[in-house]
Amino acid sequence: SMAMGNIVPGRYMLSTGTAWTITGTAERPDRGVIPGGLNISFHVVTNRWTVTQYVGGFGATVDWWLQQAWQAADPAARMEKKRLYGYLDEAVAATPPGSHNLLFLPLSGHAQGPDAVPATSFIGLELAHTRADMSRALLEGCAFEVRWFLDDLRASGMAVDELRVSGGATGSPVWPQILADVGNVPIVIADYSSWAALGAAILAGWGAGAYGSIEAGIAALQPPVRRIEPNRE
């Protein structure tokens, strides 16, 4: 999180692995402002705290969908995951936002309240819907889980300026734009994966005196990033 520049309030890191988590930065561990469901921990930066929330098992959800929708029935002919993700991206790119009025509710996520019975659903499914519509609906449903969490932060008074994304979703040409559009938040990504190692290098450089501050270490070592703005239309 720190290596991505997540050291100031308003900037959040979304980690998109088997499970998705969001981590942000707070200047005070103030439960009067920070929503109750967030975990608060010490930041590596002095007088900063991290706030973290599990969002949902969306990587696992997509893997399940790929196996059901594209994988060969014969286990001996199972295709590599990268190829399956390529099929998913092509299908979603060919389908309009809104998935022709099809909705998807993930098995886990912000929408599943503490007393809810976990249940995954396609809502509004008709014979006219295609596998591509269902694929986009799944990605949009996961994006709305992120959106509801960001809305809770905004409602509490916490700034939400940008979401820096790491992990599997960054490899998709379509999912980051969906996250930006649904969440109404700029998405920042880099073609880089070893963030934990980079963070350790920044801390080591700061501790050894190679950098005068953690901020200087981030500026010196952070790889190039690209920014994806929300498309309001």
Side-chain angles (χ1 to χ4, degrees), residues 54-68:
Y54 166 74
V55 187
F58 304 145
T61 300
V62 174
D63 284 347
W64 161 80
W65 176 242
L66 290 175
Q67 297 298 328
Q68 305 308 315

PDB file of all heavy atoms in Angstrom, residues 54-68:
ATOM      1  N   TYR A  54     -12.255  -5.632   4.123  1.00  0.00           N
ATOM      2  CA  TYR A  54     -12.486  -6.722   3.173  1.00  0.00           C
ATOM      3  C   TYR A  54     -13.730  -6.385   2.362  1.00  0.00           C
ATOM      4  O   TYR A  54     -14.767  -6.020   2.930  1.00  0.00           O
ATOM      5  CB  TYR A  54     -12.668  -8.030   3.929  1.00  0.00           C
ATOM      6  CG  TYR A  54     -13.233  -9.173   3.102  1.00  0.00           C
ATOM      7  CD1 TYR A  54     -12.441  -9.825   2.163  1.00  0.00           C
ATOM      8  CD2 TYR A  54     -14.546  -9.599   3.286  1.00  0.00           C
ATOM      9  CE1 TYR A  54     -12.952 -10.872   1.410  1.00  0.00           C
ATOM     10  CE2 TYR A  54     -15.056 -10.650   2.545  1.00  0.00           C
ATOM     11  CZ  TYR A  54     -14.263 -11.282   1.608  1.00  0.00           C
ATOM     12  OH  TYR A  54     -14.769 -12.318   0.854  1.00  0.00           O
ATOM     13  N   VAL A  55     -13.637  -6.478   1.046  1.00  0.00           N
ATOM     14  CA  VAL A  55     -14.767  -6.094   0.191  1.00  0.00           C
ATOM     15  C   VAL A  55     -15.504  -7.318  -0.331  1.00  0.00           C
ATOM     16  O   VAL A  55     -16.730  -7.306  -0.437  1.00  0.00           O
ATOM     17  CB  VAL A  55     -14.294  -5.211  -0.989  1.00  0.00           C
ATOM     18  CG1 VAL A  55     -15.483  -4.676  -1.759  1.00  0.00           C
ATOM     19  CG2 VAL A  55     -13.434  -4.059  -0.496  1.00  0.00           C
ATOM     20  N   GLY A  56     -14.790  -8.372  -0.692  1.00  0.00           N
ATOM     21  CA  GLY A  56     -15.482  -9.560  -1.186  1.00  0.00           C
ATOM     22  C   GLY A  56     -14.527 -10.517  -1.878  1.00  0.00           C
ATOM     23  O   GLY A  56     -13.416 -10.145  -2.256  1.00  0.00           O
ATOM     24  N   GLY A  57     -14.983 -11.741  -2.059  1.00  0.00           N
ATOM     25  CA  GLY A  57     -14.168 -12.747  -2.723  1.00  0.00           C
ATOM     26  C   GLY A  57     -14.354 -12.724  -4.231  1.00  0.00           C
ATOM     27  O   GLY A  57     -14.752 -13.729  -4.839  1.00  0.00           O
ATOM     28  N   PHE A  58     -14.030 -11.596  -4.859  1.00  0.00           N
ATOM     29  CA  PHE A  58     -14.395 -11.404  -6.261  1.00  0.00           C
ATOM     30  C   PHE A  58     -13.457 -12.116  -7.223  1.00  0.00           C
ATOM     31  O   PHE A  58     -13.874 -12.522  -8.312  1.00  0.00           O
ATOM     32  CB  PHE A  58     -14.472  -9.915  -6.581  1.00  0.00           C
ATOM     33  CG  PHE A  58     -15.413  -9.164  -5.679  1.00  0.00           C
ATOM     34  CD1 PHE A  58     -15.138  -7.861  -5.280  1.00  0.00           C
ATOM     35  CD2 PHE A  58     -16.562  -9.759  -5.201  1.00  0.00           C
ATOM     36  CE1 PHE A  58     -15.998  -7.181  -4.436  1.00  0.00           C
ATOM     37  CE2 PHE A  58     -17.429  -9.094  -4.347  1.00  0.00           C
ATOM     38  CZ  PHE A  58     -17.141  -7.792  -3.967  1.00  0.00           C
ATOM     39  N   GLY A  59     -12.195 -12.255  -6.855  1.00  0.00           N
ATOM     40  CA  GLY A  59     -11.296 -13.027  -7.695  1.00  0.00           C
ATOM     41  C   GLY A  59     -11.756 -14.475  -7.772  1.00  0.00           C
ATOM     42  O   GLY A  59     -11.773 -15.091  -8.848  1.00  0.00           O
ATOM     43  N   ALA A  60     -12.159 -15.035  -6.645  1.00  0.00           N
ATOM     44  CA  ALA A  60     -12.677 -16.400  -6.606  1.00  0.00           C
ATOM     45  C   ALA A  60     -13.974 -16.507  -7.404  1.00  0.00           C
ATOM     46  O   ALA A  60     -14.223 -17.511  -8.079  1.00  0.00           O
ATOM     47  CB  ALA A  60     -12.897 -16.832  -5.157  1.00  0.00           C
ATOM     48  N   THR A  61     -14.798 -15.466  -7.342  1.00  0.00           N
ATOM     49  CA  THR A  61     -16.059 -15.463  -8.088  1.00  0.00           C
ATOM     50  C   THR A  61     -15.810 -15.502  -9.589  1.00  0.00           C
ATOM     51  O   THR A  61     -16.454 -16.262 -10.323  1.00  0.00           O
ATOM     52  CB  THR A  61     -16.885 -14.208  -7.731  1.00  0.00           C
ATOM     53  OG1 THR A  61     -17.176 -14.217  -6.324  1.00  0.00           O
ATOM     54  CG2 THR A  61     -18.187 -14.179  -8.510  1.00  0.00           C
ATOM     55  N   VAL A  62     -14.865 -14.685 -10.056  1.00  0.00           N
ATOM     56  CA  VAL A  62     -14.553 -14.662 -11.484  1.00  0.00           C
ATOM     57  C   VAL A  62     -13.940 -15.986 -11.921  1.00  0.00           C
ATOM     58  O   VAL A  62     -14.274 -16.503 -13.005  1.00  0.00           O
ATOM     59  CB  VAL A  62     -13.626 -13.478 -11.821  1.00  0.00           C
ATOM     60  CG1 VAL A  62     -13.180 -13.546 -13.276  1.00  0.00           C
ATOM     61  CG2 VAL A  62     -14.349 -12.159 -11.575  1.00  0.00           C
ATOM     62  N   ASP A  63     -13.060 -16.554 -11.119  1.00  0.00           N
ATOM     63  CA  ASP A  63     -12.478 -17.854 -11.456  1.00  0.00           C
ATOM     64  C   ASP A  63     -13.572 -18.913 -11.589  1.00  0.00           C
ATOM     65  O   ASP A  63     -13.544 -19.749 -12.508  1.00  0.00           O
ATOM     66  CB  ASP A  63     -11.467 -18.280 -10.395  1.00  0.00           C
ATOM     67  CG  ASP A  63     -10.144 -17.537 -10.518  1.00  0.00           C
ATOM     68  OD1 ASP A  63      -9.928 -16.887 -11.555  1.00  0.00           O
ATOM     69  OD2 ASP A  63      -9.340 -17.606  -9.575  1.00  0.00           O
ATOM     70  N   TRP A  64     -14.522 -18.900 -10.682  1.00  0.00           N
ATOM     71  CA  TRP A  64     -15.652 -19.840 -10.756  1.00  0.00           C
ATOM     72  C   TRP A  64     -16.410 -19.651 -12.063  1.00  0.00           C
ATOM     73  O   TRP A  64     -16.743 -20.618 -12.756  1.00  0.00           O
ATOM     74  CB  TRP A  64     -16.584 -19.614  -9.564  1.00  0.00           C
ATOM     75  CG  TRP A  64     -17.957 -20.172  -9.774  1.00  0.00           C
ATOM     76  CD1 TRP A  64     -18.347 -21.476  -9.638  1.00  0.00           C
ATOM     77  CD2 TRP A  64     -19.120 -19.442 -10.186  1.00  0.00           C
ATOM     78  NE1 TRP A  64     -19.679 -21.607  -9.938  1.00  0.00           N
ATOM     79  CE2 TRP A  64     -20.179 -20.375 -10.280  1.00  0.00           C
ATOM     80  CE3 TRP A  64     -19.371 -18.105 -10.475  1.00  0.00           C
ATOM     81  CZ2 TRP A  64     -21.478 -20.002 -10.653  1.00  0.00           C
ATOM     82  CZ3 TRP A  64     -20.662 -17.722 -10.852  1.00  0.00           C
ATOM     83  CH2 TRP A  64     -21.695 -18.660 -10.948  1.00  0.00           C
ATOM     84  N   TRP A  65     -16.681 -18.401 -12.428  1.00  0.00           N
ATOM     85  CA  TRP A  65     -17.439 -18.122 -13.639  1.00  0.00           C
ATOM     86  C   TRP A  65     -16.671 -18.571 -14.883  1.00  0.00           C
ATOM     87  O   TRP A  65     -17.263 -19.139 -15.814  1.00  0.00           O
ATOM     88  CB  TRP A  65     -17.763 -16.634 -13.708  1.00  0.00           C
ATOM     89  CG  TRP A  65     -18.471 -16.225 -14.981  1.00  0.00           C
ATOM     90  CD1 TRP A  65     -18.019 -15.359 -15.927  1.00  0.00           C
ATOM     91  CD2 TRP A  65     -19.751 -16.657 -15.419  1.00  0.00           C
ATOM     92  NE1 TRP A  65     -18.927 -15.233 -16.944  1.00  0.00           N
ATOM     93  CE2 TRP A  65     -20.011 -16.020 -16.648  1.00  0.00           C
ATOM     94  CE3 TRP A  65     -20.715 -17.525 -14.905  1.00  0.00           C
ATOM     95  CZ2 TRP A  65     -21.179 -16.220 -17.378  1.00  0.00           C
ATOM     96  CZ3 TRP A  65     -21.887 -17.729 -15.622  1.00  0.00           C
ATOM     97  CH2 TRP A  65     -22.113 -17.085 -16.830  1.00  0.00           C
ATOM     98  N   LEU A  66     -15.374 -18.341 -14.895  1.00  0.00           N
ATOM     99  CA  LEU A  66     -14.570 -18.763 -16.044  1.00  0.00           C
ATOM    100  C   LEU A  66     -14.639 -20.284 -16.220  1.00  0.00           C
ATOM    101  O   LEU A  66     -14.740 -20.783 -17.344  1.00  0.00           O
ATOM    102  CB  LEU A  66     -13.117 -18.327 -15.857  1.00  0.00           C
ATOM    103  CG  LEU A  66     -12.826 -16.831 -15.952  1.00  0.00           C
ATOM    104  CD1 LEU A  66     -11.366 -16.561 -15.625  1.00  0.00           C
ATOM    105  CD2 LEU A  66     -13.162 -16.294 -17.322  1.00  0.00           C
ATOM    106  N   GLN A  67     -14.586 -21.005 -15.122  1.00  0.00           N
ATOM    107  CA  GLN A  67     -14.629 -22.464 -15.201  1.00  0.00           C
ATOM    108  C   GLN A  67     -15.996 -22.954 -15.686  1.00  0.00           C
ATOM    109  O   GLN A  67     -16.084 -23.943 -16.425  1.00  0.00           O
ATOM    110  CB  GLN A  67     -14.325 -23.082 -13.827  1.00  0.00           C
ATOM    111  CG  GLN A  67     -12.939 -22.774 -13.301  1.00  0.00           C
ATOM    112  CD  GLN A  67     -11.828 -23.323 -14.176  1.00  0.00           C
ATOM    113  OE1 GLN A  67     -11.979 -24.356 -14.808  1.00  0.00           O
ATOM    114  NE2 GLN A  67     -10.700 -22.629 -14.214  1.00  0.00           N
ATOM    115  N   GLN A  68     -17.055 -22.252 -15.308  1.00  0.00           N
ATOM    116  CA  GLN A  68     -18.390 -22.686 -15.691  1.00  0.00           C
ATOM    117  C   GLN A  68     -18.751 -22.263 -17.118  1.00  0.00           C
ATOM    118  O   GLN A  68     -19.432 -23.003 -17.835  1.00  0.00           O
ATOM    119  CB  GLN A  68     -19.436 -22.102 -14.721  1.00  0.00           C
ATOM    120  CG  GLN A  68     -19.203 -22.408 -13.255  1.00  0.00           C
ATOM    121  CD  GLN A  68     -18.996 -23.880 -12.998  1.00  0.00           C
ATOM    122  OE1 GLN A  68     -19.727 -24.725 -13.513  1.00  0.00           O
ATOM    123  NE2 GLN A  68     -17.979 -24.214 -12.197  1.00  0.00           N
TER     124      GLN A  68
END
